[in-house]
Amino acid sequence: ELEAFAERFKQRRVRLGVTQADADVGSALANLKIPGVGSLSQSTICRFESLTLSHNNMIALKPILQAWLEEAEKSHREKLAKPELFSGAEKKRKRTSIAAPEKRSLEAYFALQPRPSSEKIAAIAEKLDLKKNVVRVWFCNQRQKQKRM
């Protein structure tokens, strides 16, 4: 259950465009005014998402992070309901988080063909319901990772 929540938390946090950094999740927790909870460090949130905290710490953090997530999603919905009339500034593209099943599929494709054609990348993207550019960049990153190893 904790593993599923940690994965869900990460996916939803990334979808909201929120980083693990103190300025986002960590310090936003302090604003919730939960008794005994100040801000959390980026490394604590990172370790929660990667399941490298102790079981007791994971259990203690889950309700706190759940409360933050609900508040963040509520704020996001309110922001969407009132779009700014003049938002001339280009927004930075959100970081894409690839879920475990899609990642395993990409790794399997990579094992067969580390340099797929543009058409093959498009087919993989469609099959996995990802953007073509996300798949293309993933393959580029995997090739670079392989070079380093």
Side-chain angles (χ1 to χ4, degrees):
E1 183 190 336
L2 278 173
E3 282 182 34
F5 174 76
E7 178 66 22
R8 236 181 10 259
F9 175 82
K10 180 181 179 184
Q11 294 289 330
R12 289 161 74 184
R13 176 187 60 74
V14 170
R15 205 168 292 127
L16 289 169
V18 179
T19 68
Q20 296 170 338
D22 295 344
D24 289 334
V25 177
S27 57
L29 286 166
N31 298 336
L32 289 179
K33 311 253 186 308
I34 299 171
V37 177
S39 66
L40 294 176
S41 70
Q42 177 179 354
S43 71
T44 300
I45 293 163
C46 178
R47 290 175 64 211
F48 180 87
E49 290 179 354
S50 63
L51 307 170
T52 55
L53 287 174
S54 72
H55 184 71
N56 288 343
N57 282 341
M58 294 285 290
I59 289 171
L61 280 176
K62 183 185 176 210
I64 296 165
L65 293 176
Q66 179 72 46
W68 173 84
L69 190 59
E70 289 167 4
E71 187 64 33
E73 288 178 330
K74 179 181 161 203
S75 297
H76 184 70
R77 282 191 300 274
E78 289 170 359
K79 190 177 175 185
L80 289 178
K82 302 182 272 183
E84 294 155 31
L85 294 175
F86 302 104
S87 59
E90 283 292 315
K91 291 189 178 178
K92 185 178 173 188
R93 182 187 62 80
K94 290 181 183 173
R95 181 181 185 94
T96 302
S97 181
I98 300 173
E102 286 82 5
K103 188 176 177 190
R104 283 192 295 272
S105 295
L106 286 168
E107 288 166 348
Y109 286 119
F110 186 83
L112 294 172
Q113 174 56 274
R115 292 188 169 276
S117 66
S118 181
E119 293 80 20
K120 184 67 175 171
I121 287 174
I124 293 169
E126 190 174 326
K127 186 173 183 181
L128 298 178
D129 195 26
L130 295 169
K131 291 181 181 165
K132 182 179 175 183
N133 199 48
V134 168
V135 174
R136 183 187 63 76
V137 169
W138 186 89
F139 272 89
C140 290
N141 290 343
Q142 283 302 109
R143 288 193 297 271
Q144 287 301 315
K145 185 176 171 183
Q146 205 173 47
K147 252 189 211 178
R148 283 192 306 269
M149 294 174 138

